[in-house]
Amino acid sequence: MFWTADRIYSQGIEQAQQRIYEFFLETVRHKSPDAVLIDFKDLFINFNDQHNLEIAAAFDQILTAYNEKEFFYTLKRCCYILINNWTVSNHRSYVQSLIDLFDDDSIHKKPKSIKLKTLRIWLQIFIKSEDFKSLKLFAISVNPLSGVDQNWSNRFASYLLTDQYTNPHSSLEQRQAANILAQEMKEKFQFDLAMYTARLGHQLSTPNPHSNPTSLSDNVLNLVTLMLTKNSMLNCQAQAEKFLASIENSTYYEFKVKLLQYLDFAIADPEVSETLQTQISDGLFNLKSEHHDHLTNPYLILKTSKYLISQFTSSDHEHLTELFNILLHHTNPLNFVVLLLKLLLINGSVRSHLELKIALIIKYYSKYSEAKCKSVIAFIDMLNIALAIYAGETRYNLVCMYPYADSSSQDLDVRQDLQISQFDKKNYRIFSQLR
């Protein structure tokens, strides 16, 4: 009997939510954005039951049930229904207006109505929540200087969106909106980087009309050059292909042995290198050791890559690992980028896991000022460049315009800290094109 009553109650809430979703879908498709915002405010902010009696009754059912979780889910999904449709109809500028509705003074006033009091308490909780922070990310692409807290982490919003579009508990609309915006941000970075680096060796005495999308000053050109130079340690593509060929028909144990050789912990500081090798080796060989005699397969490679990325960044959802601090603060950050890039190149499916971990790093450091986070910002900028070159939609090519002018450029090494004094950039051009 109780199970039946609970089932009926649950179905009633779901039906009420569905009526509200359908109402906003219909409204956003047939009304102006300004009219949609009025409807949204009437329902979720003012609880004006005179505007649409059927929808007000459905909303009243959610409030009467006193189910805070379902209220938040309903509110968020309606927000993302509007954001999705405004994106398609080229009205994304209204996202900021939607967020501004939550600044309404009435939210903080104490009403006499018990239901309205409940609504306003829930809205106050929502405004302070991580869900609202996630919602405000969608205003960054519209107006980077408005609607969101001015924090250096906003530059890396594409990572912060990862959890939204990979989280199965997010609504379909939220996953779609987050995925679209994150992809747009990645593509914009790739385009800006391509346009900026295309000037390598070309009219260097004149101002560059395209701004640098990173914090690395002119070193961004040196970094891209290192990654494209054939024999540079930063050119990881050939190394990855060679490694994948070497593990064909290998057992899982043999794969682990070759993987450690492939990652190459030969960092300038031998003590740091030994620490990394020891800490990684112990955990790595304990990972799924019951499969050591099995042939290596894509699942085992993915599982192993995820494990190592977690060890290099965060093995839980809160804290950063000791290895992360070592790699960030006690070595050249390029060593860290190379490790992550090598893992990505042997199994592209690990990228979302990597981006989730980078998002966690950004959230962890976002409470500190930009001046205190220079190391982590530089690291993420370097990683963004690496991902743009090796895992983006743009193909980069380094072309020597005078093949016999500079023979030293083929021995560039990550340990030179980007100071490529012997490399004459005037002799080279970086060309980019869609893959």
Side-chain angles (χ1 to χ4, degrees):
M1 178 177 179
F2 290 104
W3 179 89
T4 304
D6 289 343
R7 183 69 172 173
I8 294 173
Y9 165 80
S10 178
Q11 288 179 340
I13 296 296
E14 290 176 3
Q15 290 170 359
Q17 290 172 316
Q18 193 60 39
R19 285 198 294 272
I20 294 172
Y21 301 148
E22 290 171 356
F23 169 74
F24 279 105
L25 274 170
E26 186 71 15
T27 301
V28 75
R29 289 170 179 170
H30 296 95
K31 288 187 178 183
S32 69
D34 288 317
V36 173
L37 289 169
I38 291 173
D39 286 340
F40 185 92
K41 184 176 180 179
D42 278 344
L43 186 65
F44 284 105
I45 308 297
N46 298 330
F47 189 30
N48 184 348
D49 58 3
Q50 299 301 314
H51 189 70
N52 188 309
L53 295 178
E54 180 185 357
I55 299 306
F59 192 64
D60 181 81
Q61 188 171 353
I62 296 173
L63 289 178
T64 303
Y66 204 72
N67 191 324
E68 182 180 308
K69 179 180 178 181
E70 292 301 334
F71 167 76
F72 288 150
Y73 187 86
T74 307
L75 174 61
K76 289 188 298 179
R77 186 168 181 182
C78 287
C79 288
Y80 289 111
I81 285 174
L82 301 187
I83 291 172
N84 260 345
N85 282 272
W86 283 338
T87 298
V88 172
S89 61
N90 200 28
H91 289 117
R92 189 183 275 169
S93 59
Y94 283 88
V95 173
Q96 184 61 60
S97 299
L98 173 64
I99 292 171
D100 289 343
L101 291 180
F102 294 94
D103 289 331
D104 196 282
D105 292 338
S106 66
I107 293 175
H108 301 281
K109 293 180 179 179
K110 295 182 179 180
K112 294 181 180 179
S113 165
I114 294 178
K115 290 180 182 177
L116 191 53
K117 183 178 181 181
T118 299
L119 172 61
R120 289 180 177 174
I121 290 174
W122 284 349
L123 287 173
Q124 291 169 25
I125 294 172
F126 177 70
I127 291 169
K128 297 176 182 177
S129 70
E130 288 297 319
D131 286 326
F132 189 55
K133 288 182 181 178
S134 297
L135 183 66
K136 291 194 290 185
L137 290 175
F138 290 85
I140 292 176
S141 63
V142 178
N143 186 354
L145 301 179
S146 177
V148 292
D149 297 331
Q150 295 309 303
N151 190 292
W152 61 265
S153 63
N154 292 334
R155 281 183 45 216
F156 305 112
S158 63
Y159 289 106
L160 300 176
L161 290 163
T162 308
D163 183 57
Q164 296 189 52
Y165 66 76
T166 59
N167 189 343
H169 299 295
S170 299
S171 67
L172 175 62
E173 291 82 6
Q174 182 176 2
R175 295 198 303 271
Q176 290 175 335
N179 192 26
I180 290 171
L181 182 56
Q183 189 59 35
E184 287 180 357
M185 289 179 170
K186 291 174 185 176
E187 290 174 357
K188 184 180 186 305
F189 177 84
Q190 292 170 17
F191 175 80
D192 291 344
L193 180 66
M195 296 302 293
Y196 182 74
T197 57
R199 288 181 52 80
L200 176 64
H202 178 63
Q203 296 179 343
L204 292 177
S205 61
T206 62
N208 192 334
H210 301 285
S211 60
N212 183 350
T214 77
S215 64
L216 301 178
S217 66
D218 287 340
N219 278 340
V220 66
L221 299 177
N222 295 341
L223 179 55
V224 173
T225 303
L226 274 169
M227 289 185 174
L228 295 175
T229 303
K230 184 177 179 181
N231 293 334
S232 166
M233 288 184 62
L234 287 184
N235 194 325
C236 301
Q237 189 68 56
Q239 298 175 49
E241 292 172 358
K242 183 178 180 180
F243 170 73
L244 289 173
S246 74
I247 62 169
E248 288 186 11
N249 301 318
S250 293
T251 65
Y252 187 42
Y253 183 87
E254 292 169 337
F255 162 77
K256 290 179 178 180
V257 173
K258 294 177 181 178
L259 179 62
L260 288 175
Q261 297 170 348
Y262 164 68
L263 292 177
D264 182 16
F265 294 96
I267 296 171
D269 187 330
E271 185 176 343
V272 172
S273 178
E274 184 178 354
T275 299
L276 290 171
Q277 183 85 5
T278 301
Q279 290 196 24
I280 286 300
S281 296
D282 292 344
L284 178 64
F285 283 98
N286 286 328
L287 177 69
K288 290 194 171 294
S289 57
E290 69 276 12
H291 294 281
H292 275 170
D293 293 332
H294 297 188
L295 285 178
T296 304
N297 57 52
Y299 167 77
L300 289 173
I301 295 176
L302 177 61
K303 194 74 177 177
T304 308
S305 298
K306 283 185 174 182
Y307 168 78
L308 288 176
I309 287 174
S310 295
Q311 293 301 304
F312 292 143
T313 55
S314 172
S315 55
D316 57 24
H317 298 292
E318 292 184 59
H319 306 98
L320 302 179
T321 63
E322 179 185 352
L323 288 176
F324 171 81
N325 289 314
I326 292 174
L327 286 165
L328 184 67
H329 299 296
H330 297 285
T331 77
N332 187 323
L334 283 174
N335 289 304
F336 197 178
V337 171
V338 167
L339 286 177
L340 298 176
L341 183 60
K342 283 184 172 182
L343 291 170
L344 177 64
L345 290 175
I346 64 173
N347 193 315
S349 299
V350 81
R351 179 161 183 172
S352 60
H353 181 74
L354 170 60
E355 291 179 346
L356 283 171
K357 295 300 183 181
I358 300 300
L360 189 149
I361 293 168
I362 294 169
K363 289 179 181 178
Y364 179 88
Y365 279 95
S366 63
K367 57 183 175 284
Y368 302 109
S369 68
E370 183 169 357
K372 293 182 178 181
C373 298
K374 289 183 178 179
S375 295
V376 73
I377 292 172
F379 157 66
I380 299 172
D381 274 328
M382 292 176 187
L383 180 62
N384 276 344
I385 293 172
L387 293 177
I389 291 175
Y390 288 110
E393 297 301 318
T394 303
R395 183 188 300 278
Y396 289 80
N397 294 286
L398 183 67
V399 179
C400 180
M401 307 306 290
Y402 311 100
Y404 302 104
D406 185 2
S407 60
S408 63
S409 64
Q410 297 304 307
D411 294 315
L412 302 178
D413 192 293
V414 66
R415 300 178 186 85
Q416 292 172 316
D417 201 25
L418 296 182
Q419 303 303 316
I420 316 174
S421 58
Q422 81 278 26
F423 180 63
D424 189 352
K425 291 185 289 186
K426 294 191 295 294
N427 297 329
Y428 286 79
R429 300 286 188 275
I430 294 176
F431 292 93
S432 56
Q433 63 186 102
L434 290 176
R435 293 186 187 274

